[in-house]
Amino acid sequence: MNRLLFLAVAATFFAACGGNPQPEKNPFEAGDAGPKKEASGNPSYDPERGTGKFTHVDVAPALDAAMASNGEKVYEVKCNSCHKLTNEKLVGPGWQDVTKRYKAEWIMNFITNTDEMLNKDPKAQANLEICLVRMPNQNLSDGDARALYEFMRKNDGVK
Amino acid sequence: MVLGAAALATTFNSCKPKNVGSAVTGDGAAKAYVAPGKYDEFYNFLSGGFSGQMSVYGLPSGRLFRVIPVFSLDPEKGYGYSEETKPMLMTSHGFVPWDDLHHPELSQTNGEVDGRWIFGNANNTPRVARIDLSTYRTAEIIELPNSGGNHSSPFITQNTEYVVAGTRFSVPPDYENGDVPISTYKKNFKGHISFISVGKEDGKMDIAFQIECPGINFDLSHAGKDKSHGWFFFSCYNTEQANTLLEVNASQRDKDFIMAVNWKKAEEYLKAGKGKKVQTKYAHNVYNEKTHSATSEIKTEVTVLDAKELPDMCYFIPCPKSPHGCDVDPTGEYIVGSGKLAALIPVFSFDKIQKAIADKAFEGDYDGVPVIKYEAALYGEVKKPGLGPLHTEFDGKGNAYTSFFVSSEVVKWNIKDLKVLDRVPTYYSVGHLCVPGGDSRKPNAKYVIAYNKITKDRYLPTGPELTQSAQLYDISGDKMQLILDFPTIGEPHYAQAIAASVIKDRSVKFYKIDENQNPYLAKGEGQTKVVREGNKIHVYMTAIRSHFAPDNIEGVKMGDEVYFHVTNLEQDWDVPHGFAVKGAANAELLIMPGETQTLKWVPDKVGIFPIYCTDFCSALHQEMSGYVRVSPAGSNVPLIWGTGKTQPEEVATK
């Protein structure tokens, strides 16, 4: 069922952007690229936060090394098949600078509420248009999601 | 279109003996209609008969949801082909890839269907399977020693204390010399019935005891309930003890038997050490959801109680004529026998049976087992109900529904006054019936479903072999109303149905990768590897949308056995990956999210062999593929593997 839904969504995208040239700048910097359907019509939608349970995440300036280490373990099981730690795209975007491109809330909403984000969020949809593989929902716990974010920060050079 | 169909039906109708057109009336279509995207109200679990499997349908739509592999190989799901599932089909005869599944039976608590497990019997190589209804997978299979077929099974007691099995074909027991002339049937052949205990929490099965009975054929059975809890009733035929041309020779006597077993008494004898421990061999196979793999163990001992030496345990009740169905009403008072060659339905009274035993109202004994006088056990007979009664279900409102094979109809009758209330035709030759919860204390009697043996002209022709079929009748009113035909797999014998609300929310959506204890798990791509152990090559592989790791493997040589241990790293519902290798003398793997399954492959020639994902997983599913290079025996190609790493061409061409 998911797969069919995916096809339908993918088909919509193909139809929507047929013939469009590839964006020239970093393709994962969604910003102004890509379709903004549902969400753009809703003024209360916060595209910096996305949709999901995380409305505010406290992030200390310094890295929580233990948490980042837990995040790395989750990454190795559930993420590294598709995401490299460099800026190289594998199946999905490389993670380098991901914490500079998106807020903590957006990332944690995307990795825990994947399907709804892919259906609604303009930035997530812009990425899907490029990668064309719907990110699997890997059923992360809230703790896993927060730890992953900390590991992303570590990867982005936070000490 | 509806009009057209109606007109067509009318046309057919005019040249048929039975009124097919009028069989579906009024709002039948609306009653069976479940709109796209909507759920059915009931699950219906059907035996697959000679397919060896069990199928899952929705009611009232008749839509097929799943075929659960139980006793037969299923290449679609890799069942019996993957290294992890092969042990499920082991028996004392070795690997048996097929059987004939006749009767599903849902587990019960306090006499109500609880939907935790469903059991199924193997009629050929005698076994009982337990299927877990959170995963819809076969969790356990136990073989039955001293048996020549298992038909009167897997009926259960009201708290699932026991699942029973009775041999359909009597044979010399395993612990005696079986090399005897067949004509010595009466002397050497015995009928063993088995009581399999079921673990209260984990459902684990164990043969608690067997009862050695005279050498006759045990057909069907049902447990007592409420007042008759503690008793079990088995229909018996071939009390003539014929061993050839049973069609004639086992149809001589005017009455055969229903055997009443006081299993609480049997428990007492067992506890008092009255059983004899005998040596035999039978397989016990268990699937472990944590390691995602099955183990098979051969057990060697079983305890047998002798029906003729241990009094007050077994009684025969005469029942006309070659009885098939043996069904106990929701109150536990009435036991309905269905003589398949009879033109009446006898209804026995549990109270009268107890009184007859107390009064010793016996007409004699049969091979040492007391035979209660027919009249002393009989509550009454349903006169002229139809021809060839087979099986009865109940609605909990005082009514019974009996199938008639010979006259192709379902007959509704009142248990108390034994009067026929309604009859409807079936198309054609109905076998079993099913009312949701219809053999429990609490039927949920919205429908009765007829499972037919013959479909003849009901569907578009498909050559000599036609589909089997079921028919759904609304029984919420006084009159039964046919509302739907639907085709079924294999041959549907018995079936069970349960309100979807009882079990649907317990369905497992995926296996948690953190709980995966398969010894060949690759928990993330970082753990993928290829290991050579002599001529065995173990590939620890992962699958995720949409690639395998590794997807390029070199260094496999002729004479090697390759084991692909594929872990599906997905953690979401409905995202299985498949795995197939060109030329593998095997099947595919179908790996559920979080699961590890293993395909064994013995390369048969030198060259390049593609591998690919068989289950459409994403827009890049077609890209989910790879290659394995097979080199000659003794070649020095090193064992290398990877995904996304390309060797420089000059290295590769060396």
Side-chain angles (χ1 to χ4, degrees):
Chain A
M1 210 154 68
N2 281 343
R3 290 174 297 226
L4 284 181
L5 181 65
F6 162 67
L7 276 182
V9 173
T12 312
F13 283 131
F14 274 120
C17 56
N20 276 3
Q22 288 294 311
E24 282 170 21
K25 52 182 182 172
N26 183 340
F28 303 111
E29 215 163 302
D32 51 0
K36 291 183 180 176
K37 292 195 188 69
E38 279 182 62
S40 60
N42 176 2
S44 70
Y45 189 83
D46 180 356
E48 299 300 311
R49 197 187 71 212
T51 175
K53 59 165 45 156
F54 297 102
T55 53
H56 177 74
V57 180
D58 284 319
V59 182
L63 187 77
D64 183 332
M67 196 195 284
S69 165
N70 286 339
E72 184 168 12
K73 287 184 189 121
V74 177
Y75 167 78
E76 283 168 359
V77 178
K78 295 188 169 181
C79 315
N80 81 345
S81 300
C82 301
H83 297 283
K84 290 197 151 191
L85 297 177
T86 63
N87 65 359
E88 184 189 343
K89 170 180 174 286
L90 197 58
V91 178
W95 276 8
Q96 185 181 311
D97 291 342
V98 66
T99 59
K100 297 170 187 168
R101 293 198 296 271
Y102 305 98
K103 284 191 164 176
E105 292 81 6
W106 191 94
I107 290 176
M108 288 171 63
N109 282 331
F110 184 51
I111 63 183
T112 56
N113 188 32
T114 313
D115 283 312
E116 195 187 359
M117 284 286 279
L118 285 170
N119 292 343
K120 279 189 182 166
D121 185 84
K123 292 181 189 179
Q125 291 181 337
N127 275 343
L128 178 58
E129 192 179 330
I130 294 155
C131 300
L132 286 173
V133 174
R134 272 177 88 89
M135 187 169 91
N137 177 354
Q138 289 291 63
N139 275 286
L140 300 171
S141 67
D142 293 357
D144 286 348
R146 181 62 186 86
L148 267 178
Y149 181 72
E150 203 64 10
F151 174 62
M152 289 171 175
R153 292 219 300 153
K154 183 184 178 192
N155 189 50
D156 285 345
V158 176
K159 305 278 184 200
Chain B
M1 209 161 84
V2 175
L3 261 182
L8 199 64
T10 314
T11 315
F12 273 117
N13 172 20
S14 55
C15 53
K16 284 219 160 293
K18 273 189 181 141
N19 195 341
V20 182
S22 65
V24 179
T25 53
D27 55 352
K31 284 184 170 174
Y33 183 69
V34 177
K38 298 292 180 198
Y39 286 158
D40 280 282
E41 188 181 353
F42 293 92
Y43 285 101
N44 192 194
F45 297 93
L46 273 64
S47 54
F50 42 70
S51 83
Q53 319 295 44
M54 198 183 289
S55 54
V56 187
Y57 288 80
L59 295 177
S61 72
R63 297 181 295 190
L64 174 65
F65 301 147
R66 178 168 173 80
V67 176
I68 304 169
V70 184
F71 294 118
S72 295
L73 290 169
D74 185 351
E76 175 191 327
K77 299 176 183 71
Y79 181 80
Y81 291 96
S82 70
E83 296 306 299
E84 283 82 359
T85 55
K86 280 178 182 174
M88 291 304 286
L89 298 178
M90 290 303 291
T91 71
S92 63
H93 304 275
F95 184 83
V96 174
W98 166 88
D99 216 298
D100 182 12
L101 192 160
H102 277 227
H103 313 117
E105 179 86 342
L106 286 161
S107 55
Q108 295 185 10
T109 303
N110 292 325
E112 295 182 49
V113 288
D114 61 27
R116 293 192 293 167
W117 309 299
I118 191 161
F119 298 86
N121 66 317
N123 190 42
N124 183 47
T125 303
R127 285 169 286 172
V128 168
R130 179 174 58 89
I131 291 146
D132 186 324
L133 290 183
S134 64
T135 59
Y136 290 73
R137 283 185 163 181
T138 303
E140 188 178 8
I141 292 178
I142 195 162
E143 190 181 1
L144 303 159
N146 304 318
S147 301
N150 174 28
H151 195 270
S152 53
S153 177
F155 301 101
I156 62 166
T157 53
Q158 69 181 18
N159 290 301
T160 321
E161 294 95 339
Y162 294 105
V163 170
V164 301
T167 191
R168 176 171 166 210
F169 308 115
S170 282
V171 286
D174 299 344
Y175 49 88
E176 305 279 1
N177 176 25
D179 182 16
V180 296
I182 299 170
S183 59
T184 63
Y185 183 107
K186 286 178 190 177
K187 177 169 169 245
N188 290 320
F189 289 39
K190 298 291 173 198
H192 282 72
I193 60 173
S194 307
F195 279 74
I196 303 163
S197 60
V198 179
K200 221 175 165 61
E201 299 302 324
D202 60 9
K204 284 279 166 61
M205 298 190 289
D206 187 28
I207 300 177
F209 56 90
Q210 293 190 310
I211 300 177
E212 181 186 316
C213 302
I216 52 177
N217 295 33
F218 291 94
D219 200 354
L220 282 165
S221 61
H222 263 105
K225 38 182 89 99
D226 263 355
K227 68 199 296 187
S228 52
H229 180 58
W231 288 75
F232 226 108
F233 304 92
F234 293 80
S235 57
C236 316
Y237 66 104
N238 192 23
T239 53
E240 296 85 350
Q241 299 190 305
N243 58 274
T244 183
L245 194 60
L246 267 62
E247 183 179 20
V248 175
N249 295 332
S251 306
Q252 298 298 307
R253 286 166 60 112
D254 190 40
K255 290 189 175 66
D256 292 280
F257 298 129
I258 282 176
M259 184 171 78
V261 177
N262 182 344
W263 58 261
K264 295 262 187 189
K265 194 78 192 169
E267 282 181 334
E268 284 173 25
Y269 284 135
L270 187 71
K271 216 169 169 185
K274 301 287 187 188
K276 59 179 174 185
K277 292 194 187 319
V278 301
Q279 298 307 302
T280 175
K281 277 187 179 171
Y282 58 102
H284 183 210
N285 311 330
V286 179
Y287 194 80
N288 180 325
E289 288 292 350
K290 294 284 182 257
T291 60
H292 303 290
S293 47
T295 49
S296 178
E297 176 195 0
I298 294 289
K299 296 193 165 180
T300 56
E301 192 178 80
V302 71
T303 305
V304 177
L305 301 169
D306 191 328
K308 88 179 152 217
E309 284 175 9
L310 300 170
D312 308 327
M313 184 169 67
C314 296
Y315 300 91
F316 284 123
I317 304 163
C319 182
K321 181 169 184 184
S322 299
H324 188 63
C326 179
D327 301 294
V328 182
D329 91 307
T331 68
E333 165 62 9
Y334 301 104
I335 299 111
V336 180
S338 297
K340 46 188 193 286
L341 303 177
L344 57 81
I345 305 171
V347 179
F348 299 98
S349 152
F350 180 71
D351 288 343
K352 285 189 75 176
I353 292 167
Q354 295 307 299
K355 185 167 188 306
I357 290 169
D359 296 348
K360 298 202 181 309
F362 304 138
E363 62 178 42
D365 73 275
Y366 180 88
D367 208 1
V369 176
V371 179
I372 296 171
K373 285 180 180 160
Y374 179 67
E375 299 295 342
L378 187 73
Y379 171 73
E381 294 170 341
V382 185
K383 305 283 188 192
K384 296 208 176 291
L387 294 179
L390 275 192
H391 171 238
T392 301
E393 291 268 288
F394 304 93
D395 66 4
K397 302 170 197 161
N399 303 311
Y401 299 79
T402 300
S403 59
F404 288 82
F405 177 83
V406 177
S407 54
S408 285
E409 59 189 333
V410 180
V411 173
K412 175 183 179 181
W413 51 276
N414 183 277
I415 303 171
K416 275 266 152 58
D417 64 18
L418 304 170
K419 292 272 192 301
V420 171
L421 301 172
D422 190 24
R423 56 180 71 235
V424 287
T426 64
Y427 306 92
Y428 304 89
S429 301
V430 58
H432 279 264
L433 298 175
C434 166
V435 168
D439 65 343
S440 73
R441 277 182 57 228
K442 292 268 177 70
N444 187 349
K446 195 163 181 183
Y447 305 110
V448 63
I449 310 105
Y451 302 97
N452 301 324
K453 303 298 184 190
I454 294 168
T455 51
K456 263 191 309 204
D457 51 7
R458 293 293 283 184
Y459 295 96
L460 285 172
T462 53
E465 189 187 356
L466 300 170
T467 185
Q468 308 274 333
S469 119
Q471 293 189 288
L472 180 68
Y473 299 83
D474 181 342
I475 55 169
S476 55
D478 287 342
K479 296 287 176 190
M480 296 178 277
Q481 182 192 6
L482 175 62
I483 58 175
L484 184 72
D485 276 22
F486 59 96
T488 65
I489 66 150
E491 179 183 345
H493 293 263
Y494 194 37
Q496 294 265 281
I498 184 170
S501 58
V502 179
I503 54 176
K504 75 177 169 56
D505 296 330
R506 294 212 307 262
S507 239
V508 167
K509 293 189 163 72
F510 59 89
Y511 298 100
K512 290 191 177 124
I513 188 105
D514 286 331
E515 294 172 3
N516 181 327
Q517 292 170 16
N518 188 296
Y520 295 100
L521 161 73
K523 200 170 172 182
E525 276 191 20
Q527 293 185 7
T528 58
K529 59 186 173 184
V530 180
V531 178
R532 176 180 283 283
E533 289 170 5
N535 73 329
K536 290 189 169 62
I537 293 179
H538 291 280
V539 181
Y540 294 69
M541 183 181 269
T542 59
I544 195 163
R545 281 167 279 178
S546 278
H547 62 275
F548 293 109
D551 67 4
N552 277 210
I553 301 168
E554 300 191 7
V556 175
K557 295 166 197 169
M558 290 298 293
D560 285 344
E561 290 176 355
V562 184
Y563 294 86
F564 294 98
H565 309 288
V566 187
T567 299
N568 181 345
L569 290 177
E570 309 274 359
Q571 289 289 275
D572 199 2
W573 200 17
D574 195 18
V575 200
H577 287 290
F579 179 79
V581 185
K582 182 192 170 191
N586 208 329
E588 68 160 346
L589 295 175
L590 196 61
I591 314 126
M592 297 304 123
E595 187 181 44
T596 304
Q597 290 286 290
T598 301
L599 186 78
K600 179 184 174 183
W601 173 52
V602 182
D604 64 315
K605 58 183 173 186
V606 170
I608 300 292
F609 289 79
I611 56 175
Y612 77 103
C613 171
T614 54
D615 190 345
F616 197 99
C617 55
S618 82
L620 296 173
H621 162 76
Q622 289 297 85
E623 282 71 11
M624 192 161 178
S625 61
Y627 292 107
V628 183
R629 174 182 172 187
V630 177
S631 303
S635 86
N636 59 2
V637 176
L639 193 63
I640 56 170
W641 67 91
T643 293
K645 290 180 284 188
T646 310
Q647 290 186 78
E649 208 170 318
E650 61 273 22
V651 175
T653 51
K654 265 181 193 167

